[in-house]
Amino acid sequence: MSNFMQAAVLPEFGPAETFRIEKVPVPLPAAGEVLVKVRAVGLNPVDFKTRSGKGYASHFTLPAILGWDIAGEVVSVGEEVSRFVTGDRIFGMSRFPDAANAYAEYAVVNEEEFAIIPRNISFEEAAASALAGLTAWEALFDHAGITWGQRVLIQAAAGGVGHIAVQLAKWKRCFVAGTASAENQAFLQQLGADQPIDYKAQPFEEAVDNMDVVIDGMGGETALRSIDVLSPGGVLVSLPSMYKDDPAVIAKAREKNVRVKWMSVRPSGERIEQLALLLDNNRLKIYIDGTYPLEEVARAHKVLEGGHVKGKIVLTL
Ligand SMILES: NC(=O)c1ccc[n+]([C@@H]2O[C@H](COP(=O)([O-])OP(=O)(O)OC[C@H]3O[C@@H](n4cnc5c(N)ncnc54)[C@H](OP(=O)(O)O)[C@@H]3O)[C@@H](O)[C@H]2O)c1
């Protein structure tokens, strides 16, 4: 194996065209870490936000290698590694929100943030499930605390987090409504949504009320309007961090007696194992909208930035 590898390097923060495919040294695993031959990298909106100098750009030094969602094969292990051996297929969300250097042929990851990929699941599906799956899990179970039979509205239900959140809420036998454009109404039905809502055809407030939980993948105006469909005591979990602590949302939530929460997803190998179980027994399916070779990272970022990905897009190596 060469000591050098290809990587998509960001010499400075900027537009998608800023990426350069370069040769960089292969990293070495320290204690508790494993070296992974990266086979797929899941892309998330935080990737393009960070690329442009927003998101978690302050956690990176330039030149930077972006990306957090990794699926690949273990090629060597550091000292004290006990969970994986060479040849294992593993996946996880690495080091988020710190730099994880995922857009590269090899990456060093912490073993406790990763889990074995089920045999029937592809590298692409595994990589695509990590950050979005952890987010949907945390939002629904930790922050909203959903229980059997509750009424849940997922905003941006056809997207990365949304399409997983719909399936997890159905797994818990909730009544699930979800918003998407006309093109994605059938997709929401396929995912199991009880009430797909075409957000362009009618305001969602006219379609649902008395919700116990809203998971909001949009923020801003959508977060504010979401408060109107919640029952007193209900909870809004709003995901886009640029709207964190929006005073208008806080004031309206207080007035309507609903709770509002913002979150930042955390890496967890245990949670990844739980997602792996759901993937393994077909309770959770990941929809891949498109795959792009590493060299086409700029094109992939532009698609993601368009804001209308169905499910997930993935880089392949
Ligand atoms: N705080 C955290 O820890 C955390 C974690 C993960 C994600 N996030 C944030 O949460 C947001 C969603 O993430 P994601 O990965 O799910 O994004 P995504 O996959 O890029 O979302 C794309 C989806 O948004 C839908 N959409 C666009 N405009 C809409 C509207 N007005 N109403 C309803 N749906 C609309 C699109 O459906 P149509 O094409 O049908 O319009 C598309 O399927 C992002 O801002 C992301 O950064 C935060």
Side-chain angles (χ1 to χ4, degrees):
M1 185 179 123
S2 159
N3 292 332
F4 286 86
M5 63 176 184
Q6 284 212 313
V9 176
L10 203 57
E12 60 200 35
F13 298 113
E17 293 76 12
T18 313
F19 285 112
R20 299 277 170 267
I21 302 297
E22 288 178 5
K23 289 258 180 223
V24 301
V26 173
L28 289 172
E33 295 179 337
V34 303
L35 179 66
V36 177
K37 166 94 185 74
V38 178
R39 298 289 302 273
V41 180
L43 298 186
N44 297 285
V46 68
D47 291 34
F48 72 72
K49 293 174 188 173
T50 301
R51 186 211 70 224
S52 67
K54 301 179 192 129
Y56 287 104
S58 63
H59 290 243
F60 286 76
T61 52
L62 294 169
I65 301 177
L66 302 186
W68 289 280
D69 277 350
I70 294 173
E73 286 149 322
V74 175
V75 288
S76 68
V77 301
E79 285 172 21
E80 296 160 30
V81 166
S82 58
R83 295 178 57 224
F84 305 121
V85 296
T86 302
D88 280 348
R89 298 165 78 241
I90 65 171
F91 74 122
M93 179 184 76
S94 180
R95 304 177 197 274
F96 188 83
D98 294 331
N101 303 320
Y103 294 3
E105 287 181 284
Y106 296 90
V108 160
V109 306
N110 286 321
E111 68 161 340
E112 75 265 20
E113 294 175 351
F114 276 63
I116 297 280
I117 301 173
R119 285 160 63 121
N120 58 330
I121 299 301
S122 66
F123 286 117
E124 288 83 358
E125 291 167 309
S129 71
L131 188 150
L134 290 170
T135 303
W137 186 288
E138 268 190 48
L140 288 166
F141 303 136
D142 299 345
H143 297 285
I146 60 163
T147 52
W148 193 275
Q150 280 192 319
R151 289 169 60 77
V152 178
L153 170 63
I154 314 287
Q155 302 282 14
V161 176
H163 90 294
I164 297 177
V166 169
Q167 296 175 73
L168 294 184
K170 283 312 298 175
W171 174 51
K172 290 294 171 192
R173 300 282 195 275
C174 291
F175 173 88
V176 180
T179 55
S181 62
E183 294 76 28
N184 284 324
Q185 296 296 295
F187 178 52
L188 297 194
Q189 262 162 358
Q190 261 172 46
L191 295 169
D194 301 287
Q195 190 179 355
I197 302 165
D198 176 354
Y199 66 84
K200 290 182 183 164
Q202 70 177 141
F204 61 83
E205 303 94 308
E206 288 177 8
V208 286
D209 60 7
N210 287 322
M211 305 310 285
D212 299 297
V213 171
V214 178
I215 306 297
D216 162 36
M218 297 304 299
E221 188 65 21
T222 301
L224 206 55
R225 289 168 50 208
S226 292
I227 292 170
D228 292 324
V229 305
L230 281 164
S231 302
V235 57
L236 167 70
V237 183
S238 193
L239 301 176
S241 46
M242 64 185 283
Y243 296 107
K244 189 174 182 309
D245 299 331
D246 181 341
V249 170
I250 292 172
K252 187 167 174 186
R254 195 170 292 140
E255 182 197 322
K256 298 267 182 173
N257 190 25
V258 306
R259 291 167 293 149
V260 56
K261 299 192 175 190
W262 286 273
M263 57 168 276
S264 182
V265 64
R266 291 160 301 153
S268 162
E270 278 170 36
R271 289 281 161 80
I272 290 286
E273 266 170 11
Q274 285 164 323
L275 291 168
L277 270 177
L278 293 176
L279 289 166
D280 196 24
N281 61 28
N282 272 328
R283 292 255 178 204
L284 174 63
K285 288 198 163 73
I286 304 297
Y287 182 86
I288 308 285
D289 202 6
T291 61
Y292 301 80
L294 183 69
E295 299 73 29
E296 291 186 20
V297 60
R299 191 157 74 90
H301 266 233
K302 284 183 193 163
V303 170
L304 192 63
E305 238 169 319
H308 293 284
V309 169
K310 176 179 175 183
K312 297 288 301 178
I313 61 171
V314 174
L315 293 179
T316 52
L317 292 102

